[in-house]
Amino acid sequence: MDIKQKASLFAILSALLLASSKFGVGLVSGSMAVLSSGLDSLLDVFMSAMNLFAIRKASKPADYNHQYGHGKVEDIAGAFQSLVILGSGSFIIIRAVHVFLEKQPISYSALDFLVIVLSLVFSVAISLVLSRIGKRTDSNALKADALHYTSDLYSNTGVLIAILLTYMTGRTIFDLVFAVIVGLIIMFSAVKIFRNSVAGIMDSSIPDDLIGQIDDIINTMPYPTVGYHKLRTRYAGNRKYIDFHLLACRRLRIDEAHDIATDIEKRIKEKVAPRRYHCPR
C-alpha cells in the first residue's frame, strides 16, 4: 500500500468515526444542523472510499487496452462523487426547512457541543494530511478529498455557532439557518470538485506557468538545439503528459539528437516538477 492509499484509508476511518458520533448525538437532540453535519461526514466516508478504489486502479501500469495507463479513473471518480455530494447538499436544505416548518423540538446537550469540537479537530488533521500528500503526489483524488474536508471546517464551525445560539436563545431558527449554510457549502464544494475532475477528463492543458518553465528550459539549451514547436500537454489523473517537436541542427547524428532529447527530458523532470511528468519523445 503506497502513501496515497494510506492517506485515503486514514480519511475513511476518521470520517466513519465522526459520522457515527454525529448521527448518534443528532438523533438524540433532534438537531438538523448536527444531523446534516453527520451526513456530510458520511459523504466523506463514501468519497474517501471511492478515492481509495480510484487510486488503486489508477496506480496499475499501462496495458494493451489502456496504453496511457489508468490515471483518468481518479477524474471519473471525482466527477461521480461531486454529483452525489451536490444531491446530498440539496437534501440537507430541503430537510432542514421541513423540520423547521413542522416545528419539531430540538434539545441540545453538552454532547452536541463536544462532538462538533472533536469533528473540527479531526477535520483539520485530515485536511492537512490529504492536502500535503495530494500536493506531493499530485493526486487529483486526494486534492478533491482535501478540499471537501476543508469545507467541513466551515460547516462544523457553523454548526457550533448554531448550537450555542439555539441553546442561549431557545430559538430553533438558528439551527435552520446553519443547516442551510452547511448544505450550501457542501454544494459549492461539489461544483469545484466537478470542475477539476472534468478538466482532467477533457485533457485540459497544464498551468501556463509550468508551460513557461518548459519553454525556458528548451530555449536556453545551447547549440545545436534551436527550439521546438507543437507543444501539447494534458492531465490524466495525477500524471501530466508533455510532448513537442524538438528542433536541432540537421547535421546531427541520430544518437546525438537522441541524447539531446534525453537531456531535455531530464531537465524538465528535475526543474519543473520532479517525478510528476512523463515526456514522450
Side-chain angles (χ1 to χ4, degrees):
M1 184 178 290
D2 61 20
I3 189 169
K4 292 194 297 182
Q5 295 180 39
K6 289 179 180 178
S8 189
L9 184 60
F10 166 72
I12 292 172
L13 296 177
S14 300
L16 185 59
L17 174 63
L18 292 178
S20 302
S21 302
K22 290 177 184 177
F23 271 118
V25 173
L27 288 173
V28 172
S29 66
S31 168
M32 272 307 300
V34 176
L35 286 173
S36 64
S37 184
L39 178 59
D40 192 23
S41 294
L42 190 62
L43 287 173
D44 292 339
V45 176
F46 168 74
M47 184 171 182
S48 296
M50 280 203 65
N51 281 339
L52 179 59
F53 167 79
I55 288 170
R56 285 183 173 177
K57 185 70 176 179
S59 65
K60 291 184 177 181
D63 53 36
Y64 181 78
N65 292 321
H66 306 88
Q67 298 182 10
Y68 283 94
H70 303 79
K72 286 188 182 292
V73 173
E74 289 191 28
D75 299 316
I76 295 172
F80 177 74
Q81 291 165 26
S82 66
L83 295 176
V84 174
I85 293 170
L86 188 64
S88 300
S90 303
F91 172 78
I92 287 173
I93 294 174
I94 295 171
R95 179 62 182 167
V97 172
H98 174 75
V99 169
F100 178 76
L101 294 177
E102 292 291 322
K103 300 186 183 301
Q104 296 183 13
I106 297 176
S107 177
Y108 283 123
S109 68
L111 201 56
D112 294 274
F113 183 84
L114 181 61
V115 75
I116 297 301
V117 171
L118 182 65
S119 180
L120 276 170
V121 174
F122 269 79
S123 294
V124 171
I126 298 170
S127 179
L128 287 175
V129 169
L130 293 179
S131 180
R132 185 176 303 172
I133 297 178
K135 289 179 180 178
R136 186 192 307 175
T137 60
D138 209 18
S139 168
N140 284 338
L142 290 184
K143 287 179 182 178
D145 222 1
L147 176 64
H148 190 62
Y149 282 104
T150 300
S151 73
D152 287 353
L153 299 179
Y154 302 106
S155 62
N156 286 323
T157 300
V159 173
L160 199 60
I161 296 173
I163 292 173
L164 292 174
L165 291 177
T166 304
Y167 179 78
M168 292 170 60
T169 65
R171 301 184 63 181
T172 59
I173 184 65
F174 296 110
D175 189 78
L176 167 68
V177 170
F178 285 98
V180 171
I181 291 174
V182 170
L184 291 175
I185 290 174
I186 292 172
M187 294 172 70
F188 178 74
S189 298
V191 171
K192 293 184 69 175
I193 294 169
F194 182 78
R195 291 178 61 183
N196 291 337
S197 299
V198 170
I201 295 172
M202 296 298 293
D203 288 335
S204 297
S205 298
I206 65 176
D208 290 340
D209 60 328
L210 295 183
I211 293 178
Q213 292 183 52
I214 296 170
D215 181 78
D216 291 340
I217 290 173
I218 301 172
N219 286 328
T220 56
M221 292 291 290
Y223 180 85
T225 302
V226 295
Y228 72 97
H229 63 195
K230 294 187 178 180
L231 172 65
R232 299 184 301 175
T233 65
R234 68 182 180 91
Y235 285 96
N238 69 325
R239 293 179 179 271
K240 277 74 178 174
Y241 290 88
I242 302 167
D243 67 81
F244 53 86
H245 293 181
L246 181 65
L247 306 177
C249 177
R250 63 182 180 181
R251 294 187 177 87
L252 288 177
R253 299 194 308 270
I254 292 178
D255 60 328
E256 292 174 329
H258 182 274
D259 290 342
I260 292 173
T262 301
D263 184 37
I264 290 177
E265 179 180 348
K266 181 180 178 181
R267 287 171 183 260
I268 291 175
K269 287 182 177 179
E270 292 177 348
K271 186 175 181 180
V272 177
R275 298 182 299 279
R276 293 185 186 176
Y277 288 88
H278 172 66
C279 309
R281 290 190 297 274

